[in-house]
Amino acid sequence: MFSNIPKGTRDFSSIEMKKRNYLIQTIRRKFELFGFYPIETPSIENLSTLIGKYGEEGDSLMFKLLHSGNFLRKISNKALIYDLTVPFVRYVVMHQNEIVFPFKRYQIQPVWRADKPQKGRFREFYQCDADMISFSWSLWDEIELIQLCDEIFTELNFPIIIYINHRDVLEGLVKMAGIENHLCKDFTISLDKWNKIGRNLVKKEMLKKGISSFSFEKVAFFLDMEENFYNKEKHLTVALQSSEKGRKGIQDLSFIYKNIENISLKKAKLEWNLSLARGMNYYTGTILEIVPFNNSISIGGGGRYDQLANLFGMNNISGVGISLGLDRIYLAMEHENLFQSIPSKVLFINFGNEEVLHAYKIIKFLRKKGISTQLYPHADKIGKQFRYANDNNIPFAISIGKNEIDKNKIRMKNIQKRTEKEYDSINDVLNQLT
Amino acid sequence: MFSNIPKGTRDFSSIEMKKRNYLIQTIRRKFELFGFYPIETPSIENLSTLIGKYGEEGDSLMFKLLHSGNFLRKISNKALIYDLTVPFVRYVVMHQNEIVFPFKRYQIQPVWRADKPQKGRFREFYQCDADMISFSWSLWDEIELIQLCDEIFTELNFPIIIYINHRDVLEGLVKMAGIENHLCKDFTISLDKWNKIGRNLVKKEMLKKGISSFSFEKVAFFLDMEENFYNKEKHLTVALQSSEKGRKGIQDLSFIYKNIENISLKKAKLEWNLSLARGMNYYTGTILEIVPFNNSISIGGGGRYDQLANLFGMNNISGVGISLGLDRIYLAMEHENLFQSIPSKVLFINFGNEEVLHAYKIIKFLRKKGISTQLYPHADKIGKQFRYANDNNIPFAISIGKNEIDKNKIRMKNIQKRTEKEYDSINDVLNQLT
């Protein structure tokens, strides 16, 4: 019988899991360092919670569940979660009476999308989200999130650029360029591809959608501008002066940018990217996107969403957050060779039941000292046992055969160096291992 | 709009998550200490992988998925995983050429069952599994697993009993009692309830199923026996002498018991429980069950399964493993008040943008020192900010207002003690916090 797994899902080997756990633990530690608290929401939500929050595309990519049993007639009213933001907002609304606001939480969980599997795009993947929900509104949230990303990726030794933009600036651009309201969404969707497909293809797309060449060029003028933040700010403040929203957007970005510059980042770079729009329907203010320094594949994003909770009947709350794609980070770091190899422990050679029992106190002692020690389960040929250590990158193997028992010695082999030595005491062995 | 989550699923608050993470980290650390390596398999598997491995009940409790999109006609061929053992065996078969045998892995992941939700029984819950797959066969695996459980629950300060039994002993009992082969399954299912529903109800069930009163009493004689391991061993060796399997089962248990007694356990107790049968179809040898010392709710179990991989076309391999129920452990520890409260960090009071910017270096310094520090995002009333610290169990709040800036001081409040003090330097503050 042939065994396989569903398309777009993956098995992770031990070597991969060690690296993934290293990423998760680093991200978790930094989230907590910044005062975000862990919560967890179910993998399954009611369809009514999820549908209509991600736009049409999102709705069609939802993994729906059958009711239990074999009855296809039972129509599904549940689905696997599509991201962590909507479940989080649902959580806030449902638990609003127990929660202390402002509420800062993080979640590290898998999400599912019935998307076409591609390189680097999976149907099951992990997101790492940090969000904050408040009844009032502060741009210090954005500043904290940017500092947080800087901390995480500095720790990972992974150079990133944080792109920032603002939905209100995009609205200002639309107004300035004289683009009709009903084309606004098409405009931003195409604009967002600027870095991926380039100026010409974006223009082609926009023209096809009914945006005039004149409008396109008016906007493109600013996207072509290779200026620092302050010059962009100057030019755009003039250009968008007739749009109240546009001016407000620029002001927000300016506040964030100036404070970040004052506080200073460690390794990350903050850059105003006018083409950044992001797909998620729910963003209403700042938008963030994280890309590695030397390629343009997004490894995370976020922004401010002010109306999402309205959909659940809770008004006047503002949310802002960042979502990191664990799998994308993994692939990018693997590609750049940024993972350190993880060292390992001891294999206890099995010479038979009596010998093992006699020497088991050594296993217990090493484990007590926190040294990961495994007993080879069978009294297989010694060569096979050493090969097992070698194949699993276990650096040391301890042998206690009849000989060693008689002489009251401990024999330990360094697998890589192929050297072997006899020790008089457990403590000598321990010194060698730590 | 009313917000809710599907029946049998749960939200976990920060306080719950801190405890859950503590459990997971303890279990993970001990798994690795014993030389198990982490892997992860998808939440979704092909139906063909899962169906027929758990018995009829299992098949009917599978959560099946629809194909993507809205098309009910597309019949589901995928399902959410039901446990971690079957996906693990599928993993071994699929990756047999990359794996070094004996293969020791652990997994900590959610599984799903479309079961009737009850107190302590959920539709989505976490299992923590450690298993080993080999081409040869060693009872040291069982001994290592028992030591592992002892380590974990000693670390958690949670007294447990590890019940052990053997499928071959059960077969021996069936033979000795003259129970017909086709009633064997019914017999073990009823026997397994001995500790839950008691002798009388088990008898009633067995009679109803067609097992004679005579047969029942022949078996019950040994279950009533309140003897230590060695006396049980002595009596059963005589009683089951005509059953080769029965004798083999007793021998296995005896080997395990004697070695464990020699090596000695820290806090756990190992006990031979003749009624232990466990539901999972796939066990073929030893069976293990873990229960808290003072109640009989199972918090984990395991055993040896020798034919599971045959179903995937890979013969001659033996598996043995243990599965811990994170949610059951959580509930039991919560009930016994075994969780330590987890201490926390610093709230940085917000007096306005200028003050925050001026003092942000203190936030950066504290975070650099690993102290979780959060900035209150808005310049809300001070009372509200302190209340936030109190409600979130944040023990310290640092205030840097105009006053403190002028005097070059740092004001810190101990929230629980309601004391406040001015410090001259960041290092003095740090001393107070560490």
Side-chain angles (χ1 to χ4, degrees), chain B residues 49-196:
Chain B
T49 300
L50 305 177
I51 289 292
K53 312 301 188 297
Y54 306 101
E56 262 170 59
E57 203 204 356
D59 288 354
S60 75
L61 298 182
M62 215 76 76
F63 263 120
K64 290 164 194 158
L65 287 165
L66 286 180
H67 280 255
S68 57
N70 234 327
F71 310 106
L72 265 177
R73 275 165 306 161
K74 291 193 183 177
I75 295 172
S76 152
N77 66 349
K78 294 185 272 288
L80 293 174
I81 55 175
Y82 183 86
D83 79 350
L84 301 177
T85 308
V86 170
F88 168 54
V89 173
R90 191 271 309 145
Y91 178 97
V92 169
V93 174
M94 199 169 142
H95 300 273
Q96 53 185 289
N97 297 323
E98 310 139 36
I99 289 173
V100 184
F101 292 94
F103 182 48
K104 292 175 77 171
R105 82 82 178 83
Y106 76 86
Q107 274 173 270
I108 300 177
Q109 291 181 230
V111 302
W112 291 265
R113 294 187 189 173
D115 215 342
K116 215 175 143 181
Q118 290 177 19
K119 192 178 181 306
R121 185 184 293 174
F122 307 102
R123 289 180 154 177
E124 173 175 53
F125 56 96
Y126 271 70
Q127 290 191 338
C128 312
D129 280 26
D131 285 81
M132 181 192 264
I133 293 270
S134 314
F135 285 103
S136 39
W137 187 89
S138 163
L139 290 167
W140 282 101
D141 295 340
E142 276 88 341
I143 294 166
E144 285 279 89
L145 286 176
I146 291 164
Q147 291 280 336
L148 172 60
C149 292
D150 179 42
E151 272 284 337
I152 290 169
F153 289 96
T154 299
E155 176 83 16
L156 294 175
N157 201 20
F158 183 177
I160 55 157
I161 304 174
I162 303 168
Y163 288 128
I164 191 165
N165 202 13
H166 202 293
R167 281 270 158 109
D168 289 349
V169 171
L170 291 171
E171 269 197 45
L173 287 175
V174 166
K175 197 172 172 193
M176 172 208 72
I179 295 167
E180 292 166 79
N181 266 337
H182 74 278
L183 292 173
C184 178
K185 209 167 166 185
D186 285 332
F187 165 77
T188 52
I189 289 173
S190 294
L191 191 69
D192 202 41
K193 299 180 186 165
W194 188 277
N195 287 340
K196 263 174 241 147

Side-chain angles (χ1 to χ4, degrees), chain A residues 1 3-6 9-14 17-18 21 25 28 32-35 37-46 48-49 60 62-66 68-70 72 75-76 78 80 90-91 93-95 100-102 104 106 112 114 124 126 132 134 136-138 140-141 144 147 255 259 262-264 311-312 345 350 353 356-357 360 364 367 370-378 380 388 391-392 394, chain B residues 1 3-6 9-14 17-18 21 25 28 32-35 37-46 48-49 60 62-66 68-70 72 75-76 78 80 90-91 93-95 100-102 104 106 112 114 124 126 132 134 136-138 140-141 144 147 255 259 262-264 311-312 345 350 353 356-357 360 364 367 370-378 380 388 391-392 394:
Chain A
M1 187 182 163
S3 298
N4 216 327
I5 50 172
T9 68
R10 291 159 294 165
D11 285 326
F12 298 107
S13 71
S14 314
M17 280 306 292
K18 292 257 177 189
N21 285 339
Q25 274 156 26
R28 180 194 302 281
E32 297 198 350
L33 187 63
F34 276 67
Y37 298 113
I39 70 161
E40 201 170 291
T41 59
S43 307
I44 304 169
E45 292 269 357
N46 291 324
S48 57
T49 299
S60 74
M62 214 77 76
F63 262 120
K64 289 163 196 160
L65 288 166
L66 287 179
S68 57
N70 235 328
L72 265 176
I75 295 172
S76 154
K78 294 185 271 289
L80 293 174
R90 190 272 310 147
Y91 178 97
V93 174
M94 199 170 143
H95 299 275
V100 184
F101 292 94
K104 292 174 79 172
Y106 76 85
W112 291 265
E124 172 174 55
Y126 270 71
M132 182 192 263
S134 316
S136 38
W137 187 89
S138 163
W140 282 100
D141 295 341
E144 284 278 270
Q147 290 280 335
F255 181 89
N259 278 298
N262 259 305
I263 293 166
S264 86
L311 296 173
F312 298 99
K345 359 153 182 219
N350 191 326
N353 293 332
V356 170
L357 182 57
Y360 201 92
K364 288 185 81 173
R367 284 177 180 162
I371 292 170
S372 174
T373 306
Q374 57 175 306
L375 168 65
Y376 193 90
H378 325 108
D380 276 344
Y388 173 85
D391 291 346
N392 280 302
I394 301 172
Chain B
M1 187 181 164
S3 298
N4 217 327
I5 50 173
T9 69
R10 292 158 295 165
D11 284 327
F12 298 107
S13 71
S14 314
M17 280 306 291
K18 292 255 177 191
N21 285 339
Q25 274 155 28
R28 181 195 302 282
E32 297 198 350
L33 187 63
F34 276 67
Y37 298 113
I39 69 160
E40 201 170 290
T41 60
S43 307
I44 304 169
E45 292 269 358
N46 291 325
S48 58
T49 300
S60 75
M62 215 76 76
F63 263 120
K64 290 164 194 158
L65 287 165
L66 286 180
S68 57
N70 234 327
L72 265 177
I75 295 172
S76 152
K78 294 185 272 288
L80 293 174
R90 191 271 309 145
Y91 178 97
V93 174
M94 199 169 142
H95 300 273
V100 184
F101 292 94
K104 292 175 77 171
Y106 76 86
W112 291 265
E124 173 175 53
Y126 271 70
M132 181 192 264
S134 314
S136 39
W137 187 89
S138 163
W140 282 101
D141 295 340
E144 285 279 89
Q147 291 280 336
F255 180 89
N259 278 298
N262 259 306
I263 293 166
S264 88
L311 296 173
F312 298 100
K345 350 129 202 238
N350 190 326
N353 294 333
V356 171
L357 181 58
Y360 201 92
K364 287 184 81 172
R367 285 177 180 162
I371 291 170
S372 173
T373 305
Q374 58 175 305
L375 167 67
Y376 193 90
H378 325 107
D380 276 346
Y388 172 85
D391 292 346
N392 279 302
I394 301 171

